[in-house]
Amino acid sequence: MEQLNVRSKPTMAIREDSFLQGVKDCVPTLLGYLSIGFAVGVVAKTAGLSILEIALLSLLLYAGSAQFIISGMVVASTSPTAIILTVFLVNLRHLLLSAAVSPYFRHLSAARSGLVGALLTDETFGVAMIKAAEHKKLGEKWMHGLNLTAYLNWFVATLAGAYLGQWISNPELWGLDFALTGMFIGILAVQIASRSKLLVDLIVAASAIVIAVGASVLVSGSMAIIIATVGAATVGMVMSRWK
């Protein structure tokens, strides 16, 4: 009877660090990706980009905030050099995201760790950090499942928005320009709730606001956000080490 009970235990359970588990853990963010990707496609189409151009941006750039910015700058007839520089500055935050995730993949080669970081986004980073806080580790296959699911979903969503965007002349009327900000707020709220370090999070948030406002007096808004991100992250790191 004891042998029968042992054999009756489930053997097809999905491992916590498996590719399929990564796909499963990405599911809660898919609805947000669909709405944001759709909004990006609509805004880009309204800005005059072709469906092919939108598809290539989603595949090669794969950055919602940058794709929104590109659409706005195209409408404003901004020079290609200015667009490239602005996108570069906005996406500098990925250095911080990758740096935060890299300790979990130190055992991998540069090429393998590069594959993990290549598709890392704000949203998958948020999911990964929640996972790391719970299990104190991240699996390579799990990250690929998470990242690829989000990547393919984003591509499909932006294409859908690009195709249907020809019938939506005013995306702001539907609040589509706020979709990305709304998702960031949701991810931040979930991450703060899972950390149980409300005081530290509040201090970091207050630091980010103060630094951003102060820096905006001296530099552009985009650069002020980058400075505030680095500064607030430094404050959070020092507080965590100090405790």
Side-chain angles (χ1 to χ4, degrees):
M1 180 63 70
E2 292 182 358
Q3 292 181 349
L4 179 60
N5 289 336
V6 171
R7 292 178 179 177
S8 64
K9 292 181 179 179
T11 58
M12 297 300 292
I14 300 177
R15 289 180 52 185
E16 284 294 324
D17 60 349
S18 68
F19 182 91
L20 288 178
Q21 185 62 46
V23 173
K24 180 180 177 181
D25 289 343
C26 188
V27 170
T29 68
L30 293 186
L31 184 59
Y33 259 64
L34 284 172
S35 60
I36 296 173
F38 182 84
V40 167
V42 171
V43 171
K45 185 63 177 178
T46 305
L49 297 178
S50 68
I51 293 180
L52 178 59
E53 289 170 335
I54 296 171
L56 289 175
L57 282 174
S58 294
L59 288 174
L60 302 178
L61 180 59
Y62 183 43
S65 56
Q67 288 175 244
F68 270 122
I69 289 172
I70 289 174
S71 298
M73 297 184 79
V74 167
V75 171
S77 300
T78 308
S79 68
T81 302
I83 292 176
I84 293 172
L85 179 60
T86 302
V87 170
F88 173 75
L89 292 175
V90 169
N91 283 346
L92 276 178
R93 71 187 187 281
H94 286 280
L95 290 175
L96 301 176
L97 303 184
S98 300
V101 171
S102 63
Y104 298 99
F105 302 100
R106 286 175 178 169
H107 60 286
L108 300 180
S109 65
R112 289 170 64 186
S113 60
L115 287 175
V116 171
L119 296 181
L120 189 67
T121 65
D122 303 275
E123 294 78 19
T124 56
F125 171 80
V127 175
M129 287 298 96
I130 293 174
K131 179 85 167 181
E134 293 176 352
H135 301 280
K136 308 302 179 183
K137 64 178 183 178
L138 294 174
E140 179 185 7
K141 292 180 180 179
W142 180 86
M143 280 299 302
H144 287 319
L146 175 73
N147 284 338
L148 285 173
T149 303
Y151 182 59
L152 294 176
N153 185 69
W154 176 261
F155 177 67
V156 172
T158 52
L159 280 187
Y163 177 74
L164 298 175
Q166 53 190 317
W167 293 292
I168 302 177
S169 58
N170 188 6
E172 291 81 5
L173 183 65
W174 302 91
L176 297 178
D177 56 327
F178 189 74
L180 187 64
T181 304
M183 186 172 185
F184 282 163
I185 293 173
I187 291 175
L188 179 62
V190 171
Q191 192 167 357
I192 289 176
S194 67
R195 280 166 46 85
S196 301
K197 296 181 179 179
L198 184 59
L199 179 60
V200 174
D201 293 334
L202 289 176
I203 293 175
V204 171
S207 301
I209 294 173
V210 172
I211 296 173
V213 172
S216 64
V217 177
L218 303 174
V219 298
S220 65
S222 299
M223 182 60 71
I225 292 175
I226 295 173
I227 295 173
T229 300
V230 175
T234 303
V235 171
M237 181 189 68
V238 171
M239 292 186 65
S240 298
R241 294 283 180 88
W242 181 67
K243 287 192 173 185

